[in-house]
Amino acid sequence: MGAWKNPPAAPVLGVVGRARTTSAFDLQRWAPSPQAAVFVEHFWSVSWDLRGQQPFDTTVITFPSVHLTREWGDDGARHGHRLPASLVHGVVERVFHIRIRGRGAVVGARFRPGGFAARFDRDAAMVTGRVERAGDDLFGRPLAIPDDIARAGQVLDDAIGAFAGELDPAYRTLTALIDRIRTEAGMQRVEQVVAASPWSERTLQRVFRRYVGVPPKWVLCRYRLQQAALAIESAPDVDFADLAARLGWYDQAHFINDFGAMLGCTPGEYAARHGAPH
């Protein structure tokens, strides 16, 4: 464990203002085992000790991913659930806000888009926008996850990797398709995604809803918005019109509207709060 731990103060894709908040909490990421990697992008943990300090607000521009977490701490409850708790976090359609206080920790598995549905034969849309307790039926048996970062990560890895079923071919196709959406700058429209897939648009929409929990248009927009926020945090004096064009928006006005709908502020306001110093 520990392939990625509190890197030097630098922007992090999806984590708002991370370069300026590295002292507030300890963030780690590590790779899954080969067995779990079929479904999981990475494991992660966040821990903090803010005793005697003010609570801290953090914001994440979420990925199209379901998370399975083990959470504990002296703050008593999170996301409407008493601690300690094992929780399933569906895809968050806007941004994820949380206020951390006292002392606490979270260990999580970030599933590949579609990975949670493929591993557990669940409809991802049923948990979109929701945080639910992970019941004993999730793994077909009670799963004792200790409140310890290293051991909890190992228990989750072992349990997720112990998959004895037959993998749905649609999931493998979807995984390759989403990798292209994420990495190919020219993949910006739903019709391009349809052309790159073996499915009709109607089937594509159905596959995304079942496996990812959100439609393909949302996935396309979310990856571009993450890149836009990262660019604003990484370089001073970003030209918003150029940024909008590079990332595939029809014009700057559409970019500003989408950015504001997600983060509740304009790109200029975001730059004033979180932008790279001159």
Side-chain angles (χ1 to χ4, degrees), residues 190-202:
V190 172
E191 54 266 29
Q192 293 173 306
V193 180
V194 174
S197 81
W199 303 310
S200 67
E201 182 171 351
R202 183 176 181 180

Side-chain angles (χ1 to χ4, degrees), residues 1-5 28-31:
M1 197 177 85
W4 189 103
K5 177 178 179 179
Q28 300 183 49
R29 295 179 184 173
W30 62 95

Side-chain angles (χ1 to χ4, degrees), residues 6-164:
N6 262 16
V12 174
L13 186 68
V15 183
V16 173
R18 179 57 182 156
R20 300 183 183 184
T21 62
T22 54
S23 62
F25 52 86
D26 180 57
L27 173 63
Q28 300 183 49
R29 295 179 184 173
W30 62 95
S33 66
Q35 294 77 20
V38 175
F39 307 103
V40 173
E41 286 192 327
H42 64 251
F43 290 95
W44 55 273
S45 70
V46 177
S47 58
W48 63 90
D49 189 344
L50 297 176
R51 289 173 296 178
Q53 303 177 50
Q54 291 297 313
F56 181 83
D57 294 312
T58 185
T59 300
V60 176
I61 307 170
T62 53
F63 291 76
S65 302
V66 175
H67 292 250
L68 176 60
T69 65
R70 179 65 181 179
E71 312 197 16
W72 65 94
D74 56 19
D75 40 339
R78 286 184 219 136
H79 318 294
H81 298 278
R82 296 289 301 172
L83 299 180
S86 299
L87 303 174
V88 174
H89 298 249
V91 172
V92 179
E93 294 173 286
R94 291 178 65 89
V95 290
F96 178 79
H97 297 287
I98 187 169
R99 172 168 290 184
I100 58 175
R101 55 171 57 88
R103 181 172 58 178
V106 184
V107 174
R110 187 173 97 185
F111 285 85
R112 299 179 181 279
F116 179 83
R119 172 59 180 84
F120 298 109
D121 192 24
R122 303 287 178 96
D123 187 336
M126 298 301 293
V127 292
T128 295
R130 300 170 59 87
V131 180
E132 301 179 349
R133 282 193 172 266
D136 291 344
D137 62 324
L138 188 63
F139 289 95
R141 60 183 175 83
L143 188 67
I145 307 175
D147 296 338
D148 172 86
I149 288 174
R151 290 190 294 142
Q154 189 61 60
V155 169
L156 286 172
D157 192 308
D158 291 344
I160 294 168
F163 177 71

Side-chain angles (χ1 to χ4, degrees), residues 214-239:
V214 287
K217 184 177 180 180
W218 187 96
V219 175
L220 286 161
C221 189
R222 179 50 54 100
Y223 280 133
R224 289 185 295 155
L225 286 166
Q226 287 178 333
Q227 292 294 339
L230 182 65
I232 292 170
E233 292 195 35
S234 300
D237 299 322
V238 173
D239 184 320

